[in-house]
Amino acid sequence: MKDGKIHRKIKVHFEPDGVGALVDKGANLLQAAVDAGVHITASCGGAGVCGTCKVLIERGEVESSPSKHITNDDWNRGIRKACQSKVLTDLKVVVPVESRLETAVVSREIDMTAGVGQPAGTVATGWKFKPPLNKCYLELPMPTLSDNTSDLSRLLRGLKKYCNLKYAGVDPGVLKKLPQVMRRKNYRVTATTLVKAVKTQADKRKPTVINIESGNTTRAHLGLAFDIGTTTVCGQLLDLGRGEVIAEAMTRNGQIGYGEDVITRIAYSQRSGGLKKLQQAVVTTINNIIQVLLDNSKFKSEDIGHMTVAGNTVMTHILFGVDPKYIRLAPYTPVANFFPPVKANSLGIVVQSHVHVFSFPCVASYVGGDIVSGVVAAGMHQREKLTFYIDIGTNGEIVIGNSDWMVTAACSAGPAFEGGGIKHGMIATEGAIEDFKIREIGCKPEFRTIGGVKAKGICGSGLINIVAGLLGAGIISQNGKFNFDAEEGRIREGEDGCEYLIVPAPESQTGKDIVITEVDIDNLMRAKAAIFAGCQTLTKNVGVSCADLEQVIIAGAFGSHIDVENSITIGLLPDISRHKFAFVGNGSLSGSRLVSFSTDLLDDARKVATMMTNFELSESPDFMHHYVAGLFLPNTHAGDFPSVKRRLIGLKGR
Amino acid sequence: MKDGKIHRKIKVHFEPDGVGALVDKGANLLQAAVDAGVHITASCGGAGVCGTCKVLIERGEVESSPSKHITNDDWNRGIRKACQSKVLTDLKVVVPVESRLETAVVSREIDMTAGVGQPAGTVATGWKFKPPLNKCYLELPMPTLSDNTSDLSRLLRGLKKYCNLKYAGVDPGVLKKLPQVMRRKNYRVTATTLVKAVKTQADKRKPTVINIESGNTTRAHLGLAFDIGTTTVCGQLLDLGRGEVIAEAMTRNGQIGYGEDVITRIAYSQRSGGLKKLQQAVVTTINNIIQVLLDNSKFKSEDIGHMTVAGNTVMTHILFGVDPKYIRLAPYTPVANFFPPVKANSLGIVVQSHVHVFSFPCVASYVGGDIVSGVVAAGMHQREKLTFYIDIGTNGEIVIGNSDWMVTAACSAGPAFEGGGIKHGMIATEGAIEDFKIREIGCKPEFRTIGGVKAKGICGSGLINIVAGLLGAGIISQNGKFNFDAEEGRIREGEDGCEYLIVPAPESQTGKDIVITEVDIDNLMRAKAAIFAGCQTLTKNVGVSCADLEQVIIAGAFGSHIDVENSITIGLLPDISRHKFAFVGNGSLSGSRLVSFSTDLLDDARKVATMMTNFELSESPDFMHHYVAGLFLPNTHAGDFPSVKRRLIGLKGR
């Protein structure tokens, strides 16, 4: 308005979401989408280098310049990179299926009670079922002139007498509704109590009354467990009365529009209003998941009384609105590793005002609450066995130790294992290619999708199986490059370089070919190299060898299972006795669920976080050496992978 | 707007406040004033029966009808009762000096350190100076790669090492500013910690870090202590580092516009939005006092870190926004006797966001935190002496007992002792007539005002002395009626019936005669009758006589001292050995101050509240019998007041 004229706002309409936005002329199109809540994958955070944020401008004009990521044909039909486009006129923008595929929250059919679903020997045991959130139904005596104590005292007396809750406190919000709620059904009430503090040497647990309802509501006693990943957010709706999972759902973290990994997110948080935007983005994701969880149940939002989240250190900072700036500056200090419980709706989470968010304690800047959660769920802190715990995600974390000691390290793998940065990558939901096999060299590949439906894309575990399969069939070499001699027809030159056709367009759900590119393979190699180099560096530094490991627990949100043989083949996991491996799925989510069921495990989480010693891989010269050796299939140190070496030689011999 | 016309709002301008308000035609003028924050004394809560809310309509028109409270002269010059006036046109309204006199916050010169200012033997002893709010200055080591723990861990480590604070928790708000604050002065910080919970058998105290500042701010370490009375609100600004009072101020409770006693306040709270209005009224009063306290000091609002309030049960409910409805309905149950600490600015109190409000626990619907506070301050719970504690205020409370047991009762005295409902009554501040004497029958009365300035009005202790003086001089009879034969000139017929001239207009500060009326005397007699009847009923019910009392502690906000002899003369206090009496001033405020200085006393407050057994006077037939006997000077049972009887007979004999 500096020139005194009134600027008309420009209308941008996004399809297929059907969402409209008003922006100023010259606005960045990616930003406009993000602000309007329209998700467009933008792996590089809008820096213009990745090409994942392509959109179709169906009507109207943008200012944009050609890019190597856009073919001439695509340019001519209106494809542009959203991050590099300025809005000039009213627009109709179509977000293509590849970019929006994973923005929908996907609920999963599950059949899982507490602890079930993980292999025996890899789950915490010996804990009592006693959720931090408790509901007590009380039939209190009516007040009389000879017993006219306060409503609160009457309630606390009842809790002490019938529920054995001594020294209970009360939240101020309860007092405001107490007199009406107690009288509505003649002093028959349900009190919701919460153990807020982790047990310390100094005190017994003192529960706090956080809510009060008329009548008996103990049947509607729910909690939420969340894993807040850099790339993927998963949530479960829990029945805290029965100790069961009611529903599960997952989706991409809405922050993805602001960058692919924690470093780009921290960078974004330093812009004006950046931290707030990131916080709102993940809260929107959480709210969407809660909505889907409730839609898949017979319960209402009012029935939810508790929430536990596990996330890495950066995700935890951002969720709580705490500045992560110094995490990426030497000497890499987080603001806090332990975050006190806060009211969920103070963060913007749409639940009742009495709901508190508990978060898992973190260990260091790059070893967060998600790993603590996974270790507790796996019961690693309860066994004497020398165990190796690997959480394979965008930020790969590894832990070595047992009930006496634990050393941790973080190695940034990038989002490949969660389908991020992969041309047709996706999260591990229906339609994701999970299994892949080439029975005989020269045969047509066979694959299986989650849910057995037509293929939409490739999830993390599918990616491992595809690369191992292509390597075994000689279609790619040990350096990850395509071997044009090995296959005819499926290996070809695509818009992003060489690619291998997995599913032809007519057979796919997207109506487009599903391929794996050399760039994808390269991304996977860098991801697995980082993780394996971390394993090697850490084992060496604690003075053990891979052969000494008695158990290897693998966690990750990348699929419903992992093929150990294939993982060893590509050099992600060490080549040791196969029976030592166990896959526990999303360990962070499991831990989040389990502490919602037991205060014992809540205490354990605190202890585990305290006993973990962090080892900074970036400070170790060994790490880079091992990493470079890992940029090969399985590894340039073939001696570390004797069984793979034998097999590959066997193949060559044929 | 029902008729489709656009109604113009009517402008009401209040002088001398200079405040304007926009109201609808037909609005109630008293309500308009209250809504605009202009205080007009309205003892009956706007019921139209008391005549205290008179205002001068200087310009414009109101609809009002004549009243016995308004003389013809006054009516002709535009005096109207605000509560009975409807606004018809734009108005200029002058609130006369009598109605606004006490609305200004008055700061008092004080020279008082903790505990000093009360007679020996009537103050709590043996407590350690350790305020619940603590400030620790720390020079923390800078983070390095080998010590890159989180900012929070670094802080807590420092608190443990240098301040011996183990297991400290942290408020979420601290985390948001922690990284910037710690780095601003190279990890030299001042942490403010608060002991939130009262000690129980179950745990040690765990302080919580509630604020963090750069550099050393330990010199600016203030707290607020408040007594929230039904009629009067008093506040002190405390130096929590030195244990000193910096400033003191008091004013009328802004709720007075909504009714004189707790019963009318509860009634008002049941109107739509009523509770919110009452809450805002007292919060405005508190904010005004805080502003005056700061203006009288060299400190800023940011230096205040803590607040303690003591109030009766109804005042405490309203302050915390909790519905007091059931307090006045049998069987008289409060919502709570214990209120958890809340953030002060969640109530609207204008202080930093980390400041918490602690309130004293209450005992029953009509025995509140103010009496607990006074008893703790007086150390009554520490001595074996059989002690009688009387808090003389609008709601008179009495306690009998010692370190082993305590029984309490409440007797509604009305506001007379705080100058309420008295024609020229005022709070005990500068200009209030405090002492009064007639040396010889027939002599001109002598009086002394607080501050030695020209008289403005009469405070509670002045009222006692005046009535005793008039009785002693034979100017009033034992039934409280004027004896026209005893005096010429000063006894006369006034607008409210018979009155006695104390200060003629030329000698007063208001430029008007200051008088005491028969109605005033009647109000005082009812007030003192209620209190003494309470004393008699309670002593009888616990099986002791007044002669058994070893100590009588008198508290009240009605003046800087009380004349025991005169109080016995009018029948307010029992006629026992004078050396047993001690006056401790505003005991509720003293307790509020002392617990701000010592967590020991905070614990004591909880214990005292728990050990007190409430006795319902209204359920005792004795009480009404004693009350009726008390509507006489000193009492119809003259045998209970042998020394007074002797004196009055002696007078008559002359």
Side-chain angles (χ1 to χ4, degrees), chain A residues 15 51 67 102 108 171-172 185 188 208 268 337 361 368 375 379-380 439 460 494 525 538-539 596 621 626:
Chain A
E15 287 293 352
S67 150
E102 306 171 306
R108 293 210 311 195
D171 268 359
K185 294 196 175 168
R188 293 169 187 204
T208 304
Y268 191 88
N337 287 322
V375 163
M380 178 170 164
R439 284 192 191 274
M525 277 172 42
L538 196 62
T539 44
S596 302
H626 290 308

Side-chain angles (χ1 to χ4, degrees), chain A residues 202-204 206, chain B residues 197-206:
Chain A
D203 71 342
K204 288 189 193 170
K206 288 203 294 181
Chain B
V198 171
K199 198 174 179 176
T200 63
Q201 289 161 266
D203 70 342
K204 288 190 194 169
R205 290 184 185 296
K206 289 203 294 182

Side-chain angles (χ1 to χ4, degrees), chain A residues 143-145 148-154 167 170-172 175-176 178-180 183 187 197-198 200-204 206 320-323 325-326 330-342 616 619, chain B residues 143-145 148-154 167 170-172 175-176 178-180 183 187 197-198 200-204 206 320-323 325-326 330-342 616 619:
Chain A
T144 61
L145 274 176
N148 64 355
T149 186
S150 70
D151 292 343
L152 178 61
S153 297
R154 189 170 305 276
Y167 312 116
V170 64
D171 268 359
L175 298 182
K176 298 208 177 185
L178 194 57
Q180 280 71 32
R183 285 164 183 82
Y187 291 82
V198 171
T200 63
Q201 289 161 267
D203 71 342
K204 288 189 193 170
K206 288 203 294 181
F320 286 100
V322 173
D323 189 357
K325 179 177 178 180
Y326 296 98
Y332 319 113
T333 50
V335 173
N337 287 322
F338 171 75
F339 288 77
V342 299
E616 286 284 348
E619 301 298 311
Chain B
T144 61
L145 274 176
N148 65 355
T149 185
S150 70
D151 292 345
L152 178 61
S153 298
R154 189 172 305 277
Y167 313 117
V170 64
D171 268 0
L175 298 182
K176 297 207 175 185
L178 195 57
Q180 280 71 31
R183 284 163 183 83
Y187 291 83
V198 171
T200 63
Q201 289 161 266
D203 70 342
K204 288 190 194 169
K206 289 203 294 182
F320 287 101
V322 173
D323 189 357
K325 178 177 179 182
Y326 297 98
Y332 319 113
T333 49
V335 174
N337 285 322
F338 171 75
F339 288 78
V342 298
E616 287 283 348
E619 301 298 310

